[in-house]
Amino acid sequence: MSRKYDLVCFDLDGTLIQGTIFIWQTLHDAFGTDAGRRQRAKDDFHAGRITYQQWFDHDLVLLGEANATRERMVAALDAIHPTPGAAETLATLRTAGMHLAIISGSIDLVLEQFFGLAAFDEVLINRLDFDDDGRLVGGTHTDFDVDRKGAGVLEIARRLGVDVARTAFVGDNYNDVSAARTAGLSIAFNPRSEELTEAVHEVVTGDDLRGILPHLL
Ligand SMILES: [Mg+2]
């Protein structure tokens, strides 16, 4: 099957995996962190009072205080599963010769758990560090979330030598709008955000991610 695009960038939470809207929220809920402090940091970030780095660091402090370990974080993902048809979708795009990438504000541990990092040519995502006993000891935040996801599309296209017009992006929520406005083709998969629905070229609804394939091949 011939391809219409050379690179497809995916959001993770709510797009390639289901059972969560944002994995950070799922983890905070599982570890019972202080909802007030968590909400204040989120509000402060979206109001521009703190940086993404400060928001990320704050999240790690809350999870660290709740004794988050790698093992306990993986256990907290038990209600999460790949979107039906996701593996087949990725394999089909790969067979058609397309590059695959992740641009996500989720966490590397989650991607590893369900798809493996090797399934993608480029991965822009938050990374967590654990010590030898599996305790959460720090991490490295992504530079490409929310308003910077569009810059992530440009960055990956540059790294892979792909014309931006030949890039596609698939996401589900308000934090995907900048990427949707940047990619040559943007698809909202079961969108949860009116703003995203208005920003994209195509909307695909349904239980199976393979619904996006006719737009890409
Ligand atoms: Mg999402």
Side-chain angles (χ1 to χ4, degrees):
M1 226 180 301
S2 69
R3 62 181 190 262
K4 296 177 185 163
Y5 298 89
D6 296 323
L7 163 65
V8 187
C9 302
F10 288 91
D11 167 56
L12 182 59
D13 299 355
T15 300
L16 287 180
I17 61 173
Q18 302 301 320
T20 184
I21 297 176
F22 292 113
I23 206 72
W24 289 99
Q25 188 64 52
T26 298
L27 289 172
H28 282 285
D29 290 346
F31 285 96
T33 63
D34 187 321
R37 284 165 69 197
R38 158 89 180 146
Q39 187 62 44
R40 265 197 304 284
K42 184 179 181 180
D43 292 345
D44 283 348
F45 169 73
H46 286 295
R49 290 188 288 269
I50 62 171
T51 64
Y52 192 83
Q53 161 103 55
Q54 288 172 308
W55 185 25
F56 176 79
D57 290 345
H58 187 268
D59 268 12
L60 294 198
V61 167
L62 290 176
L63 291 169
E65 285 174 2
N67 298 314
T69 62
R70 193 176 206 290
E71 194 180 356
R72 293 182 66 207
M73 289 174 91
V74 169
L77 304 177
D78 67 345
I80 295 174
H81 56 89
T83 303
E88 294 85 348
T89 298
L90 296 175
T92 300
L93 297 175
R94 184 67 88 186
T95 300
M98 292 155 113
H99 293 289
L100 303 177
I102 293 287
I103 306 174
S104 170
S106 186
I107 300 171
D108 58 351
L109 171 90
V110 180
L111 183 62
E112 276 172 38
Q113 192 67 18
F114 297 105
F115 295 97
L117 298 178
F120 301 92
D121 299 285
E122 296 286 343
V123 173
L124 301 178
I125 200 167
N126 293 301
R127 315 239 173 197
L128 297 186
D129 297 327
F130 301 91
D131 67 14
D132 291 343
D133 296 323
R135 278 187 298 254
L136 177 63
V137 290
T140 308
H141 70 87
T142 178
D143 283 325
F144 301 99
D145 197 6
V146 199
D147 289 348
R148 296 265 307 149
K149 276 204 181 192
V153 173
L154 298 179
E155 172 65 18
I156 292 173
R158 187 191 63 76
R159 287 184 195 175
L160 296 173
V162 172
D163 190 324
V164 177
R166 297 276 300 173
T167 65
F169 175 82
V170 188
D172 74 310
N173 216 334
Y174 71 87
N175 58 324
D176 296 315
V177 168
S178 69
R181 290 190 175 135
T182 304
L185 172 77
S186 50
I187 300 173
F189 181 68
N190 295 328
R192 303 166 196 271
S193 152
E194 189 82 13
E195 201 188 352
L196 181 67
T197 300
E198 287 169 9
V200 293
H201 300 101
E202 304 289 346
V203 173
V204 172
T205 56
D207 295 335
D208 196 302
L209 193 65
R210 279 171 285 194
I212 69 172
L213 289 174
H215 298 295
L216 299 168
L217 297 169

